């Protein structure tokens, strides 16, 4: 009895295993057979594939970089006095616009004025003596040496007067250039030295824009190249022009530093601001551009599909140039007026019928 039960269990296990192994394959064959039968009689492979195409035409290509930069003033200085002295009068207001040469600070000059008057009297005396000695020399009443001593005293007095005049001019501190004044750091009655900052003078029209580009683009930099920049507050771009760049690469960052200039009459951009820059490296006229999704990379290069004769797909080997965010420059392999496929490029094959459904 136990032997028969054992045999029955073994036979049952074998049957279950056989059913589990063969049943899925039977269903798969049944599913494939109807599909094959319907496909062979329908002629679906001959139906043209709908695709989108673009009409190729020449356009202007701008090779550009997206970088960041900083706004710099056109001119900026912390105003200091050349001499020490007592501030007798302040002739400016904070934040005021001043022109070059405008008096800003007056220092006490009483002592220098007294020296100047004394030297003026001395100069008149020596001038009179020089004239008298000159007349005597003409009559040969004195020697040439005596006249030369009088002339030297007169010239020395003139030099002393010029020296005091130069010192007097330093008691009036003037604006070195046109610009906006900053905050005042001194008050009337204070004694200032040559290291004390009086205020700042900043010229922000025009402004300078400083930025850096990778060294591989260094050979494409030219003075006069345009840039377009904007900040977070002003989304619209403002144009500037590169006017100078460093003659060497920064060894630490492997970048080239450039400076551009742009008008700033409204005063919207202030020194120290962070800006986004679109730097135009090169402009190519009559460039053929195709969407990046139309280009198929291969081991031997790149290819695209165009609409050939009788609306059939035709593969073209191309040579590409500059890439932008969404387009690729085609140097050779295509002609103006070709219809380039932008969709279905991975499904179509050479000579396959296609149906251009959209011309972008």
């Amino acid at each position: 009895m136990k032997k028969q039960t054992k045999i029955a269990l073994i036979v049952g296990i074998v049957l279950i295993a056989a059913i589990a192994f063969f049943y899925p394959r039977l269903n798969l064959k049944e599913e494939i057979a109807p599909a094959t039968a319907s496909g062979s009689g329908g002629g679906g492979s001959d139906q043209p594939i709908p695709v989108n195409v673009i009409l190729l035409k020449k356009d202007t290509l701008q090779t550009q970089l997206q970088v960041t930069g900083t706004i710099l003033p056109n001119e900026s200085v912390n105003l200091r006095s050349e001499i020490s002295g007592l501030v007798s009068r302040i002739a400016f207001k904070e934040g005021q616009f001043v022109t070059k040469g405008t008096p800003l600070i007056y220092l006490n000059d009483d002592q220098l004025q007294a020296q100047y008057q004394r030297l003026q009297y001395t100069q008149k005396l020596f001038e009179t003596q020089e004239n008298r000695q000159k007349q005597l020399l003409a009559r040969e009443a004195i020697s040439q040496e005596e006249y030369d001593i009088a002339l030297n005293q007169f010239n020395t007095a003139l030099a002393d007067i010029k020296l005091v005049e130069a010192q007097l001019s330093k008691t009036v501190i003037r604006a070195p250039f046109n610009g906006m004044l900053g905050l005042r750091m001194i008050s009337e009655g204070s004694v200032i030295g040559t290291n004390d900052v009086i205020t700042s003078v900043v010229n922000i029209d025009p402004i300078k824009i400083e930025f850096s580009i990778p060294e591989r683009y260094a050979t494409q930099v030219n003075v006069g190249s345009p840039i377009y920049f904007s900040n977070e507050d002003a989304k619209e771009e403002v144009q500037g022009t590169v006017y100078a760049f460093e003659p060497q690469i920064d060894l630490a960052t492997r970048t080239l530093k450039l400076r551009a200039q742009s008008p700033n009459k409204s005063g919207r951009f202030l020194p120290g601001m962070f800006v986004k820059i679109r730097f135009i490296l090169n402009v190519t006229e009559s460039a053929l551009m195709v969407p990046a999704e139309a280009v198929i990379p291969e081991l031997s290069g790149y290819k695209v599909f165009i609409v050939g004769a009788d609306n059939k797909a035709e593969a073209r080997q191309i040579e590409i140039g500059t890439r932008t965010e969404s387009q690729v420059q085609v140097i050779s392999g295509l002609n103006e007026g070709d219809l380039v496929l932008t969709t279905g490029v991975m499904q179509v094959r050479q000579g396959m019928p296609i149906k251009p459904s959209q011309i972008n």
Side-chain angles (χ1 to χ4, degrees), residues 195-258:
N195 293 326
D196 295 325
V197 175
I198 298 170
T199 186
S200 61
V201 185
V202 182
N203 184 313
I204 58 173
D205 182 28
I207 53 170
K208 297 175 182 177
I209 307 97
E210 186 175 275
F211 61 100
S212 298
I213 62 172
E215 65 173 319
R216 64 176 177 272
Y217 300 111
T219 57
Q220 302 181 43
V221 173
N222 294 304
V223 172
S225 299
I227 69 165
Y228 300 89
F229 63 97
S230 62
N231 61 358
E232 295 298 332
D233 295 333
K235 300 299 182 182
E236 65 275 10
E237 291 183 328
V238 179
Q239 184 174 349
T241 304
V242 174
Y243 73 91
F245 54 88
E246 287 282 2
Q248 60 183 0
I249 301 296
D250 189 325
L251 296 179
T253 60
R254 292 296 175 184
T255 58
L256 179 68
K257 185 179 293 185
L258 298 91

Side-chain angles (χ1 to χ4, degrees), residues 140-216:
E140 297 183 354
I142 60 172
S143 64
Q144 181 68 39
E145 182 181 0
E146 290 176 309
Y147 171 74
D148 290 342
I149 292 173
L151 179 61
N152 181 64
Q153 290 174 336
F154 174 62
N155 289 334
T156 302
L158 290 178
D160 290 340
I161 288 176
K162 289 183 179 180
L163 177 61
V164 175
E165 286 176 345
Q167 292 175 335
L168 280 171
S169 67
K170 294 179 181 180
T171 62
V172 181
I173 301 170
R174 303 175 184 272
F177 47 79
N178 297 350
M180 299 292 294
L181 298 177
L183 302 179
R184 177 162 53 88
M185 301 299 178
I186 62 169
S187 300
E188 288 187 4
S190 59
V191 177
I192 61 174
T194 56
N195 293 326
D196 295 325
V197 175
I198 298 170
T199 186
S200 61
V201 185
V202 182
N203 184 313
I204 58 173
D205 182 28
I207 53 170
K208 297 175 182 177
I209 307 97
E210 186 175 275
F211 61 100
S212 298
I213 62 172
E215 65 173 319
R216 64 176 177 272

Side-chain angles (χ1 to χ4, degrees), residues 25 49 52 71 92 106 132 137 141 153 171 186 194 199 207 247 250 301 306 311 336-337 348 350:
R25 286 161 175 74
I49 298 177
N52 292 344
I71 299 294
F92 71 91
Y106 293 88
R132 187 181 301 115
L137 179 64
Q153 290 174 336
T171 62
I186 62 169
T194 56
T199 186
I207 53 170
D250 189 325
I306 67 169
N311 280 349
E336 186 177 10
V348 299
Q350 176 70 21

Side-chain angles (χ1 to χ4, degrees), residues 18-36:
I19 292 172
F21 181 78
F22 289 106
Y23 183 74
R25 286 161 175 74
L26 293 175
N27 288 341
L28 180 61
K29 291 180 179 180
E30 291 176 359
E31 292 176 0
I32 293 175
T36 304

Side-chain angles (χ1 to χ4, degrees), residues 51-55 307 339-343 356-360:
V51 293
N52 292 344
V53 298
I54 184 172
L55 178 64
V307 179
L339 294 176
V340 181
L341 274 66
T342 58
T343 61
S357 59
Q358 180 180 355
I359 298 179
N360 297 330

